């Protein structure tokens, strides 16, 4: 099984910056199907931005997507992307206001036809590792 996290403001589109997203929608992908399994919502703190607030916000989101293989967002900073890679989460960006369901369909077709080498066994075996 592969898990993908989608950053969204409206719960319908991949339309949010990772560190600023109000919601993260998590899907599970199996060879025959995919489904939404979880929504994690974040309370946005208004007021003065600080390094501590930004770090806390980023840490919250990284914790929320632990166990995911891919993060799909509209934007992500280089330091955050590097931290995700260190957690074995591959960040992907889209510049279009892509519906989450369409993004999930595209990913599922790719996983079925030509999955990335580093995910191939995980997908084909349904997450069972030998």
């Amino acid at each position: 099984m592969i898990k993908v996290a989608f950053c969204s403001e409206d719960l319908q589109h991949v339309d949010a910056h990772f560190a600023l997203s109000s919601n993260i929608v998590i899907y599970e992908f199996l060879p025959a199907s995919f489904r939404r399994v979880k929504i994690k919502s974040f309370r946005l703190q208004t007021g003065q931005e600080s390094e501590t607030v930004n770090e806390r916000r980023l840490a919250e989101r990284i914790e929320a997507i632990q166990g995911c293989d891919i993060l799909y967002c509209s934007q992500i900073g280089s330091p955050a992307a590097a931290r995700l890679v260190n957690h074995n989460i591959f960040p992907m960006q889209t510049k279009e206001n892509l519906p989450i369901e369409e993004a999930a369909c595209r990913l599922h077709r790719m996983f079925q036809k030509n999955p990335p080498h580093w995910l191939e066994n995980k997908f084909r075996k349904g997450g069972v590792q030998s």
Side-chain angles (χ1 to χ4, degrees):
M1 169 184 22
I2 295 173
K3 284 183 155 184
V4 179
F6 298 91
C7 295
S8 180
E9 292 303 317
D10 65 3
L11 297 173
Q12 302 298 315
H13 295 87
V14 182
D15 61 358
H17 185 289
F18 174 56
L20 301 174
S21 61
S22 297
N23 304 290
I24 295 180
V25 182
I26 298 176
Y27 276 65
E28 290 179 347
F29 292 81
L30 296 167
S33 64
F34 62 91
R35 66 187 177 104
R36 181 173 66 192
V37 294
K38 184 177 179 182
I39 296 172
K40 176 67 178 168
S41 296
F42 302 94
R43 220 171 21 124
L44 292 182
Q45 300 168 353
T46 57
Q48 188 175 9
E49 293 292 311
S50 70
E51 191 172 320
T52 304
V53 169
N54 291 337
E55 177 56 35
R56 191 175 326 123
R57 188 172 25 215
L58 182 58
E60 269 184 333
R61 283 154 181 79
I62 291 172
E63 182 179 327
I65 64 170
Q66 287 299 310
C68 289
D69 301 289
I70 295 173
L71 169 81
Y72 216 128
C73 60
S74 65
Q75 295 178 10
I76 187 169
S78 296
R83 286 177 64 179
L84 289 180
V85 170
N86 286 336
H87 284 87
N88 296 316
I89 302 168
F90 183 79
M92 292 178 62
Q93 285 183 248
T94 181
K95 295 298 179 192
E96 55 185 302
N97 196 17
L98 187 62
I100 293 172
E101 276 295 316
E102 184 178 334
C105 285
R106 289 180 188 180
L107 285 170
H108 194 246
R109 279 192 302 272
M110 181 203 42
F111 295 152
Q112 289 177 318
K113 293 180 180 185
N114 190 21
H117 177 69
W118 54 278
L119 284 177
E120 186 171 12
N121 286 338
K122 190 171 187 178
F123 184 69
R124 301 242 187 264
K125 294 180 181 177
V128 177
Q129 301 295 313
S130 49

